[in-house]
Amino acid sequence: MTRRSPYLALLLAASVLIGTTSCGLLPDSKQHFTAQFQSALGLYVGNDVVVLGYPVGKVERVTAHPEYVDVEFSVDADVTIPAEAKAVVLRPGIVTDRALELTPAYTGGERLADGATLGQDRTFEPLEYDELMRAVDDFVEAMAPAGEDVVHDAVSAAADLFGENGPRFRRAVAGLADASRIAGDAAPDITALVKDLNVVVGAVAEHETTLRRFSANLADLTSMFAADGAQLREALAALASSMRETATFVRRNRASIVATARQATGIVGVLTKRTRELTEIVDVFPLTFDNLSRAIDPKTGALNVKLSWAEMLAGLGIVKQFCTMPTIPVLCQLLTLATPTEGVE
């Protein structure tokens, strides 16, 4: 036993040294951050650090300074905190401990570096009850300067008003309820109206440039009318005078105008019946005038026309019948209208 004691002590010392060294070499399984609050009332060491209500760490240390409070906390190494994260002190219940929530949850992008500090612009704490009551008290004092009980007077006036007009207010509330019920019954129509209005607004947004140009042009037109107001008034006065004279003329010559309109109706009816002939005239007139312009010699101004009497007479059926008679073949040959009948000498 005496001989083994030094070896046993050496073995124990080596185990302690290896264990200590191993603990020092193992990486830390936590991330550490610091949040600066204006007030961290109710936040203590050991409170949970949560993300979306799920615990991910603990508050490690709370250090008070004259202007702010440092809250040091740790987060599990496998939890990623976004670089833009904010720290909020939550009160889950009236009697439960407070928690430190990091928001928003990480969805991508840069992550908050280990050891980072969140300044007071990125931390928020709930409004305390005594602070709320102090703010209400300050408001009441501000509403009643120099000892005047303004709030009491306002409440009394409201009581007098409602006391005298209770039935009217009741009817008003009942009417509002009826209007709400009607609006509820017409919900599909109102929804369709809102959708149509959304389409109109979208169309206006798509044509914003055109509408702006139209507005600018309308403004220019309005400015022009404003600058030329006197001339515009004179023109409108002249137009009104002309319209009055026209009305007087029509009134005095009503019978003649009616008769002329009836005659014009007859003429239009005739032209309607002769639509084919008019169409042919309209088609031929351009060619006729073109030929006429070509027939005039620009140098002499004379009309150059060659008339073929034979062709003109050949178009007449009675002349053809005359030429077929065997008594006058020579004349037909001279006119080249027909060939003499065979056997005629």
Side-chain angles (χ1 to χ4, degrees):
M1 289 296 294
T2 305
R3 186 176 302 174
R4 293 180 179 179
S5 296
Y7 296 103
L8 181 61
L10 182 61
L11 180 61
L12 291 175
S15 300
V16 172
L17 180 61
I18 293 174
T20 305
T21 306
S22 299
C23 294
L25 295 176
L26 288 175
D28 193 358
S29 60
K30 300 287 185 178
Q31 305 175 75
H32 298 276
F33 305 101
T34 302
Q36 297 178 347
F37 289 91
Q38 184 177 1
S39 172
L41 184 64
L43 196 62
Y44 302 101
V45 175
N47 288 150
D48 288 334
V49 178
V50 299
V51 174
L52 297 178
Y54 182 79
V56 296
K58 295 288 184 179
V59 175
E60 303 290 345
R61 181 181 299 175
V62 179
T63 305
H65 297 279
E67 301 295 334
Y68 61 92
V69 177
D70 273 338
V71 177
E72 301 178 19
F73 58 94
S74 61
V75 176
D76 296 340
D78 58 346
V79 177
T80 303
I81 306 298
E84 68 277 7
K86 297 178 177 59
V88 183
V89 177
L90 298 181
R91 181 188 295 172
I94 298 178
V95 297
T96 57
D97 291 337
R98 297 192 177 187
L100 181 64
E101 181 175 23
L102 299 176
T103 182
Y106 182 79
T107 57
E110 298 182 2
R111 58 180 297 172
L112 187 66
D114 189 8
T117 299
L118 305 180
Q120 296 186 48
D121 58 331
R122 298 173 61 180
T123 58
F124 305 91
E125 57 272 353
L127 182 64
E128 300 296 333
Y129 177 77
D130 55 348
E131 295 180 359
L132 177 61
M133 297 306 299
R134 190 182 306 113
V136 173
D137 186 64
D138 294 341
F139 174 75
V140 173
E141 290 182 359
M143 291 293 293
E148 297 180 3
D149 197 353
V150 179
V151 177
H152 178 270
D153 295 340
V155 173
S156 300
D160 296 338
L161 176 64
F162 282 96
E164 296 177 358
N165 299 282
R168 296 188 180 90
F169 279 106
R170 182 181 62 80
R171 288 194 297 271
V173 172
L176 182 60
D178 294 338
S180 301
R181 184 175 61 257
I182 294 173
D185 296 338
D189 297 333
I190 295 176
T191 302
L193 177 62
V194 172
K195 290 181 178 179
D196 294 340
L197 184 61
N198 184 37
V199 173
V200 172
V201 173
V204 171
E206 291 178 358
H207 299 83
E208 181 181 1
T209 304
T210 303
L211 290 175
R212 289 182 181 275
R213 189 181 302 112
F214 172 75
S215 299
N217 295 336
L218 184 60
D220 295 340
L221 180 62
T222 305
S223 301
M224 182 184 68
F225 283 159
D228 300 334
Q231 293 83 351
L232 181 61
R233 286 192 295 271
E234 292 177 359
L236 293 176
L239 179 60
S241 176
S242 176
M243 295 297 295
R244 286 194 297 269
E245 293 177 359
T246 302
T248 302
F249 174 79
V250 171
R251 188 168 52 252
R252 291 178 179 177
N253 300 276
R254 184 185 303 274
S256 301
I257 294 175
V258 172
T260 304
R262 290 176 179 174
Q263 295 175 1
T265 303
I267 295 173
V268 172
V270 173
L271 295 176
T272 304
K273 294 179 181 179
R274 300 294 181 179
T275 303
R276 186 176 62 83
E277 291 82 354
L278 292 174
T279 303
E280 185 177 355
I281 291 173
V282 172
D283 292 339
V284 172
F285 260 19
L287 179 61
T288 303
F289 283 109
D290 183 64
N291 292 337
L292 184 59
S293 64
R294 293 174 182 273
I296 299 175
D297 189 350
K299 295 181 179 180
T300 61
L303 182 63
N304 299 325
V305 179
K306 181 180 180 181
L307 299 177
S308 176
W309 296 104
E311 295 180 359
M312 293 176 60
L313 294 175
L316 300 176
I318 188 171
V319 176
K320 290 184 178 181
Q321 294 177 4
F322 179 75
C323 291
T324 57
M325 297 174 62
T327 54
I328 49 174
V330 177
L331 180 59
C332 291
Q333 292 178 2
L334 291 175
L335 295 176
T336 66
L337 295 175
T339 302
T341 306
E342 294 182 0
V344 180
E345 298 180 356

